[in-house]
Structures are given as C-alpha cells and as structure tokens.
Amino acid sequence: MEFILEGQAGSKAIFVELATRFTVLPGKPRTVTRTLFDTFDWRLYAAGQRLEEMGEGESVRAEWVENASGKVLGSMNGPVGRMANNWQPASVAGALARTIKMRALLPLAVVNTILWPADLLDEREKTVVRVSVEISKTGAIGAKAAKEIPSVVRLSAVRGYHKAFEQTIAVLAGLPGLTRAEHSTLDSVLLANGRTPLDYSSKINIKLSPGVLAEKAVRKVLGRLVEIMAANHDGTVANIDSEFLHDFRVAVRRTRSMLGQMNASIPAATLKQFRPEFDWLGAVTGPTRDLDVYILKFDDYVIPLDEKVRRDLAPLRKHIFRRQHQEQLNLARAISAKRYRELIFDWKKALCSSWKSGSENWRGGDPAEAVAGQRILKILKRALRQGKTLTDDSPASAVHELRITCKKLRYMMEFFKSLFPAAEIDELTGALKELQDNLGDFQDYEVHRAELYKFADEMVLLKTARPRTLLGIGQLAESLAERQRLARADLGRRFAEFAAKKNIVRFRTLFEPSKRSLLDEGDRNL
Amino acid sequence: MKVIATYNIKGGVGKTAAAVNLSWLAARSGLRTLVWDLDPQGAATFYFRVQPKVRGGGKNLVKGSSRISDFIKGTDYENLDLMPADFSYRNLDIRLDQKKNPTKRLKKLLAPLKADYDLVVLDCPPSISLVSESVFFAADALVVPVIPTTLSQRTLEQLYGFRSDRKLDGLKLLIFFSLVDRRKKLHHEVMAEIAVQHPEVLKTHIPNASQVERMGIYKKPICDFAGSCDAAQAYEELWAEIKKILWR
Ligand SMILES: Nc1ncnc2c1ncn2[C@@H]1O[C@H](COP(=O)(O)OP(=O)(O)O)[C@@H](O)[C@H]1O
Ligand SMILES: [Mg+2]
C-alpha cells in the first residue's frame, strides 16, 4: 500500500501526524539499492507480481512480491538467481517456476532509495503497522540512477492487525499532499526508464481488416514474424534461456510454412530468393533446439527408472549438456554472421512494398479470406486422408507426416485468425491441439529414442560412458519406447475425435466461401 | 513447509526459549516462519507481545468452522508470525478427543498453511497429552531440550521408545543439551557419556545464562536484544545444525 508524496511534506510531518494515533518508533534511515527483475516476456508483471534484489550495505536480499497486496511470496538472503530453481527453499522455487517456467530473470532497472522507516506501536507496545517514507531515483542497468520518481509513503500491514492498518490509511488520506497510489511504483520506475510492460509476446496478434488482399495479409503476417525473430535474436545468441531460441525458431518455421502454403500470393522471384535462406535458418537452429527439448524433458524421462539407474545416467545428462553447448556455439556463430543479417535486411525490404505478379496462378490480388480458407480446407483434407489410412502397423514416418500436416493447418489458422469469427476458430484450434499434443509426444519419443543411440556412440568414442551407463541408456530407450507405444495407442481415439463429423462441418462452414454466403443468405431470409 | 516442535514432557527445560529464538533466526534467514504456541501458559505469545486471547478461541479452530489463518498474528519481525496461545487451549485435549481421529487433527489444521510458510515451530506444553500425540504426527522433527542430569539417559530412551511404539520412523529426534552449567562436573560427565552412546545428539549446548531470563523483561528473543552473547551465539549454532538436518 503506497501513498504518493507531493511537494515538501517530509517524513517528520508524517510521523508527527501518525503519533496522534500510535506510538511512532522511528528506525535509522537506510539507503537501499533495488534491482527489479522480470522475464523477457514479462511473466511476473503479467501475473501481478514483481521480483527485486535489495542491496543494503554488505547484505543482499531477494524478494518476490505480489503487487496488489504487498504480500511477500518468497524471499531469501543473497542475490536473485537466474532461474526459478536457484531459489531457496525448494517450495518457493517450485511456486516461482509455476509462474516463470524455464525463463531466466533479467534485470530491468535500478532504484536507489533513501528510506525513513518507523514501526507503529499500539498501547501494548506491539508493532501493528510498518511505515516508511521513501525518496528514490532510478536508472537503467549499468547507468547512473539519476531519474526522479515520485516519493512514496509505504505501509506494510502486520498480519492480524487490520484495524490499525485501516486507521493508518485514514490518517494519511486526510493529509494534504498525499494521494493513494493507484499502481505500485513499479510502473513509474518502468516508465522513467522507457520500458513498456508487456511489450513482447510470441503470439502473432495482428488484426487483418476484412477484405484485405491476400498478398497484403501475407506480408503483414510475415512482417510480424520477422519482428519476433529480431526480438529474440540477441537472447538466442547469448543463450539466456531456451525460450529465446524456441520463439525464434517457431517464427522461422511459421515463415517457411507461410512461404509454402501461400505461394500463389507471393511472387516467384521472392520465393526463389528467400525460401532456401529460411530453410537454411531452420536447419542451423534445429540441432540446438532438439537438445534444449531433451534437457527440458530429461528429468521427466528418467522418473520411471530406478534410483540406481538414474545415477548411472548422470554422464549421459552431462553429455547432452555438453552437446547443447557445442551446438549453441555453432548456432550463435551462424546467426551472428553476414548471411543472417543480410537475410533479415533484404527480407524486411521485400515485405515493404506490394507484391505483383503476371503469373496466371497469381492469387495475391484475391481477398485473403478466400485464398486462406481454400488452402486451409485443402490441408484439412490431406490431414484427414493421412489420418484415415493410418493402421496399427503404419511406420512412425506416416505418423510424422500427419503431424507435419496438422502443424501447417494450425499455423494457417493462426495466421488468418483475425479474418474469421474468433469463438469458432478458437474452438477448432482447441480440437486440433488435442490431436497435435499426441502427435508431438509420439514424435519427441521417436526422435529422442533414436538420439540415445547416437549419444551412446559418441560417449563410447569419447570414453565418457562406462558399461553401466550404456546399460542405463538401454533402459531409458526402452522406457521411452513404452511411452511412445502408449501415445500411439491413444492416437486412434484422438484422431477420431478430431475428425468427427461435427468438426468437419464446422471447418467447412468457417472456411468455404460458398457455404458461408449460403449461411449469410439463410440468416437474411430468416 | 517443514514442521518442528520443541518437546519435552518436563517443564522449565528451555523449550519455549528455543522455539522463540530458533523461529526468530529462521525468519531472519528469509524463511517464512510461524510459531504456534500450543501451551495454554502462553509464554511464546508473551515473548512476542501478542495478546493470548484468540478470537473464537480454540473451539472453532478444532471444529474447522473458521479458517485457521484468521487467528494468526504478525510479530514485530518480518517473516515471523504467531498463532497465539489461548486459555481455551486448556480444553484442546478434550476437544481433540471428540474427533474421530484426534491424533491426525493438528496435521490437518496445518495443511492449508503450506503455501504461506516455509517453517512452522510448534511450542509444546509439558506433559504427555493428546496434544503431544497429534504433534508427533504433524511434525517432521522434535527439537528436544534435555538438562544433563543422571536422569537424561532415561529421557532419551523413553523418547526413542515412544517413536518406535507409534511407528513414527520418519519423525526426526533432534536432541540438544539445555541449561548447561559449565562449572558443574556432573553436566560434563553426563554429556560425555551420552555423546558416546547417542552420537546423533546435536553438538550445540545451550548454556545456562542469566541473559536468557531477561527475555521476559525485554519481551524479545535474546538473539535480537543481545545477539553477540554466548547464549545467542549458541542458538545460532543450534539453528545451523537443525537447518542442515531439516533440508538435507
Ligand atoms: N539457557 C538458559 N539459561 C538460563 N535460563 C533459561 C535458559 N533457558 C530458559 N531459561 C529460563 O528458564 C525458564 C523456563 O524456560 P522455558 O524456555 O520457558 O522452558 P519450557 O518451555 O521448557 O517450560 C524461563 O524462565 C527461562 O527464562
Ligand atoms: Mg514453554
């Protein structure tokens, strides 16, 4: 609970006023340096929380706080760790991980505060409220904290003494020059440092206007995708957390999918120039991402194994981390090079002006809604055909093909989402996601199982695997195979649910222009 | 959330002094800590300047008609809250008895606090009672102050006996010597003997020191008002030992 302090009202005046109600026990003035942290995509801010590191003299403390109530969700001595699992105790680490998951905490800004604290005591000399008057300056990380932010009077409730807290608020609210802060000072700190909360999202989040031409819609979506790549580039190179590469790579994959699916609305020369380049970008980012996924899933993978086997697998874990490190260096080199910079520069330029083509297959001048809708139905048809021909004996590659088709379908629905009724497209996306989750699991197990053999070979060559480790790898491979069998056994049901008649009818009504106009006619006739 | 209980069927051995100082040290180290004063005498409540009377009393709590967190009070220290003693706790034994499963009751009462606290310190009354039975089920560890006398050997055997009778193998027994008088030969002899027979007994001794008694005057943990004295330093060492075992 904070009050903004305007003008000259100092701590003295405020404490004098509070002394009419309580015994005011002032403490020594303190100088505190706070560093605010959040993830790149503002997961704490979005959850209404903040995390700060507080340095005072020699001591450093970390605190994780709920903004609205001021409730401390976790605190520890020492600096803020990069990842949730650096927190102590484990219960707080777990709770923090539920909010920020695998993302790293990055410093946002520094605030230097001179703070006049006081305890408010009741007639029994019990502390019932804590108050502090705080005068602060802020600055970016590494810069001098020189920007003024409003001074505040901060109240902290003591549990079980709510009445005294309300009384304190009433006293302060009656003072001139004090206004109750709507938001925590967090917002003014960010504002002063030119930071806009929630300025990054990995979602496409663009609004296409109805009737927009296909080529324009395609350029707009691709423009947003290259923006996501650029936003994640530096974090990917620096390997801050695995999510930078994840978002970067999804944007690359979506771009490639768009170039493939909407090729009739993109000039042939443009395709010829850029498709190989984005294929290259997909290829150089693949190995690191695969290893990242392996690392994220490793702990879950080994759960079914005996404690002893898990210990035997420690060298494998180490090997995967080492491989990730090597691949990460390759990746960082590739996307720091001229080829990448030129690609992004040329691509942005190519997206700037309208596309035209003399080709007889050119659809760029048609409404995006019609072109995308037709394409979506065509991919759907392919997915249905691939799914229906799957039998228990089909090879993993056939399942993989269905997975790729579903992914294309999903991307297309996301690209052009804003052109169709939101509720309906969300519902169909949800149905598709159920199927995709199963296909994704199946494929991860397939790839990760195959990779285990590769790791084993490498470890033998490097002499980092003892026989018992190799035996453990065998057990892990068998365990993954079992999980894969379970996923495969569930595929039939999931596909049938997705391919249910009611879903197909919904797809048709949503994406087939003739059906839609028929529906509209029907409405009008009613 | 870990739960520890200062426990000994005898009074005046330093249970409350340990509860108050250990919880203060835990809170200072950043753990969100709750002291639950289970003793109707309310000594821990007194040391933290909280009024012993709980709104609604022990009755509602055990019935489960109101939320347990409504009764908790913040102390004068950050991260450190207190569940006050209440005179109606005199009846806690009887009330617990009316429930089908009285021994599990305290554990159930603690369950909703899991998200709020990293550590709960139960300060037990002396005597064997249903309260202490339910404490055994709720706690991860008993912190047991023992005065080094010829009887302390028997106290230990009794404790281990209790634990095996009730099949509470997971319950840790953290035994330490309390009110140790450096000048008494007997104390040294007893401690030396027990150290051989029970090497698991904690290394730290809490000395008999007049400053500890002054906690009643200051109404503060000794670690707060005389942090550098021998007794306060001993509590710090004791806490370091206990912390290591709890989060091992
Ligand atoms: N280490 C100590 N040195 C001197 N006096 C102590 C010490 N520990 C406790 N006391 C005093 O002994 C009395 C009983 O201690 P207390 O902690 O309340 O015991 P319990 O909770 O086991 O009944 C109190 O007056 C307390 O001040
Ligand atoms: Mg006591």
Side-chain angles (χ1 to χ4, degrees), chain B residues 198-216:
Chain B
H198 294 286
E200 71 282 4
V201 167
L202 302 182
K203 300 280 172 294
T204 309
H205 308 156
I206 304 296
N208 188 339
S210 57
Q211 287 102 315
V212 180
E213 288 168 59
R214 282 166 51 216
M215 292 205 319

Side-chain angles (χ1 to χ4, degrees), chain B residues 10-17 47 179 206-209 212-213 235:
Chain B
K10 294 206 195 76
V13 296
K15 292 188 290 294
T16 301
Y47 287 132
L179 285 158
I206 304 296
N208 188 339
V212 180
E213 288 168 59
Y235 281 119

Side-chain angles (χ1 to χ4, degrees), chain A residues 71-73 75 77 89 91-92 124-127 130 158-161, chain B residues 28-30 32 49-51 69 73-77 81 116-118:
Chain A
K71 188 174 163 201
V72 177
L73 303 169
S75 70
N77 288 326
S91 56
V92 176
R124 301 177 57 255
E125 299 198 350
K126 170 77 184 68
T127 302
R130 293 193 184 88
V158 175
R159 193 167 186 167
Y161 297 92
Chain B
R28 197 192 54 173
S29 79
R32 297 163 304 162
R49 300 167 187 239
V50 174
Q51 277 187 313
S69 53
K73 297 280 185 183
T75 67
D76 290 4
Y77 306 102
D81 291 349
D116 285 2
Y117 296 102
D118 305 312

